[in-house]
Amino acid sequence: MKKEIALKVKSKFVNKYRNGYPLIMKEAILNLNDLNEEGAIVRLVDEQNRFIAKGYYGKQNKGYGWILSQKENDQFNQHFFDRKIQQAFKQREHYYNDPDTNAFRVFNGEGDGIGGLTIEYFNGYYLIQWYSKGIYQFRDLIINTLKNIAEYKAIYQKKRFDTKGKYIEDDDFVTGERGQFPIIVKENGVNFAVYLDESAMVGVFLDQRDVRRTIRDKYAKGKTVLNTFSYTGAFSVFAALGGAEKTTSVDLANRSLSKTIEQFSINQVDYEAQDIIVEDVFNYFKYAVRKQLSFDMVILDPPSFARSKKYVFSAEKDYKNLLKEAIAITKKNGVIVASTNSSSFGMGKFKGFIDTAFKEMGKKYKLLEEFSLPDDFRTIKEFPEGNYLKVVFIKALL
Ligand code: SAH
């Protein structure tokens, strides 16, 4: 059995952990120096050495590890991982039974009781993502669980912990029969080409499923749609399938051109009737203003942080200005879909950016609907930061 390290929690954080907060934070612990090897089992105790909770040490951008149990006698053995992962699978039963969708998340980190670990399902293939060296120490147990409870063609993995700023991608394959990539997966009847062997981004961000469907089913018909930070063009494909007059996808990564062509093509949409532009979004906005282009729908889905040749974008600092650029080229009564995956602010603040942006542009707006994570991206109320996705549909009035 592994040795357990006692971590003393500062008194002002004791209640937070007793109430189920799952992330071990640097500022909450008095004796961080006692930690050395990631994967060690840690027991959080108060200053009188009374037990609070236990978990593992694993460094992630977010913290120093995760609480796995509030029961002193719990052991993090095969039975423990079997139980957690089985529960998570059970909660996704309706996805497994959905004939139109075969790509979803089956295990969502702390939302399913084990921070630092996610598992996704892509039409017979599983992808495990390890977010720290610490959780990776439990790989044999976790992979065993998956082998025992899941039916699969193959299991792949990504080690998302940082080694010199790059993900280690040399041995993504774990077990089963290697896939021929891309594999084609389905989401609400729409195809996606997925590459589990490529990089941290496999071709689709599953957390936007409900937003894509909504754009297709309720908003796209007859509309001109500008999709910024478009990556593989997922929103454009759904808009086109929903009857958009035309879509324009803008992303500065060279790969986005071939990947977007591929997504349109595997859905029988003629990509030549769409615009796919490899360019910095911020240059494109200026170009559009100069050319007096305007759109019925503008989709904004930037990364939380991005650096391009000319611009640095941080969602927290710059989202308001991004909205202003979008407002300037949105038609009257058009719709802006504003999305952010930044966990550094919540929905309230995000709506504040929206309000300020419209005020500064001297325009009125109406909030139409909003989205957060879908239920396969399970979250817990004790960790609101885990519910990072915020998407707002806004009607630009005059
Ligand atoms: N909206 C996409 C996901 C976006 S991922 C989807 O639904 O699948 C973020 C993308 O933003 C990446 O593809 C990246 O290349 C692009 N990006 C980052 N900074 C950019 C910039 N300044 N201009 C254009 N694209 C940018």
Side-chain angles (χ1 to χ4, degrees), residues 2-18:
K2 279 189 180 167
K3 195 170 128 256
E4 294 184 358
I5 298 172
L7 291 182
K8 273 214 167 116
V9 175
K10 293 181 190 164
S11 55
K12 72 168 180 173
F13 289 98
V14 165
N15 273 336
K16 196 174 169 91
Y17 287 108
R18 286 210 189 284

Side-chain angles (χ1 to χ4, degrees), residues 205 229-231 235 251-253 255 279-282 301 303 306:
F205 290 100
F229 307 94
S230 57
Y231 182 40
F235 288 122
D251 195 295
L252 58 64
R255 60 166 189 242
E279 210 195 329
D280 194 309
V281 159
F282 299 101
D301 184 28

Side-chain angles (χ1 to χ4, degrees), residues 147-362:
K147 283 184 179 167
N148 289 334
I149 70 170
E151 280 174 43
Y152 57 86
K153 295 188 187 116
I155 301 173
Y156 281 74
Q157 66 177 352
K158 295 197 187 294
K159 299 177 202 161
R160 298 290 295 264
F161 41 92
D162 201 44
T163 52
K164 302 192 198 93
K166 279 209 131 173
Y167 306 135
I168 312 166
E169 281 150 20
D170 47 345
D171 56 349
D172 286 350
F173 174 75
V174 178
T175 187
E177 200 161 309
R178 281 175 192 271
Q180 294 278 343
F181 297 108
I183 55 166
I184 305 299
V185 307
K186 233 176 1 172
E187 178 188 285
N188 291 311
V190 178
N191 293 324
F192 279 118
V194 165
Y195 296 80
L196 298 183
D197 57 342
E198 240 181 25
S199 75
M201 306 209 291
V202 302
V204 56
F205 290 100
L206 299 174
D207 54 0
Q208 298 276 13
R209 180 187 310 114
D210 296 338
V211 178
R212 286 189 280 269
R213 194 197 50 218
T214 301
I215 288 171
R216 179 189 65 186
D217 296 351
K218 288 171 65 178
Y219 290 91
K221 201 170 169 52
K223 301 292 200 261
T224 53
V225 178
L226 173 64
N227 179 12
T228 63
F229 307 94
S230 57
Y231 182 40
T232 60
F235 288 122
S236 308
V237 171
F238 271 73
L241 292 171
E245 184 184 311
K246 188 171 127 183
T247 66
T248 303
S249 305
V250 183
D251 195 295
L252 58 64
N254 283 322
R255 60 166 189 242
S256 67
L257 176 60
S258 58
K259 289 201 174 283
T260 305
I261 291 175
E262 180 176 48
Q263 298 300 354
F264 278 126
S265 302
I266 60 173
N267 287 291
Q268 287 78 49
V269 178
D270 175 13
Y271 70 86
E272 290 185 334
Q274 315 294 327
D275 280 342
I276 306 168
I277 299 170
V278 176
E279 210 195 329
D280 194 309
V281 159
F282 299 101
N283 286 339
Y284 182 80
F285 281 127
K286 295 193 175 62
Y287 164 85
V289 168
R290 221 166 44 236
K291 296 277 175 184
Q292 296 183 311
L293 303 181
S294 61
F295 299 86
D296 299 314
M297 174 170 250
V298 177
I299 300 167
L300 304 173
D301 184 28
S304 303
F305 189 83
R307 188 188 297 273
S308 60
K309 278 196 193 112
K310 269 167 73 184
Y311 308 94
V312 178
F313 175 84
S314 132
E316 192 167 15
K317 282 207 222 102
D318 304 316
Y319 211 109
K320 183 203 75 180
N321 286 336
L322 176 65
L323 280 158
K324 288 170 75 174
E325 308 233 46
I327 293 165
I329 58 168
T330 302
K331 290 206 166 104
K332 182 178 169 190
N333 292 325
V335 172
I336 295 174
V337 179
S339 170
T340 180
N341 57 12
S342 173
S343 49
S344 57
F345 55 89
M347 189 56 115
K349 194 160 169 184
F350 192 40
K351 286 184 180 163
F353 296 158
I354 295 169
D355 192 62
T356 312
F358 275 91
K359 279 204 180 107
E360 289 182 9
M361 293 296 283

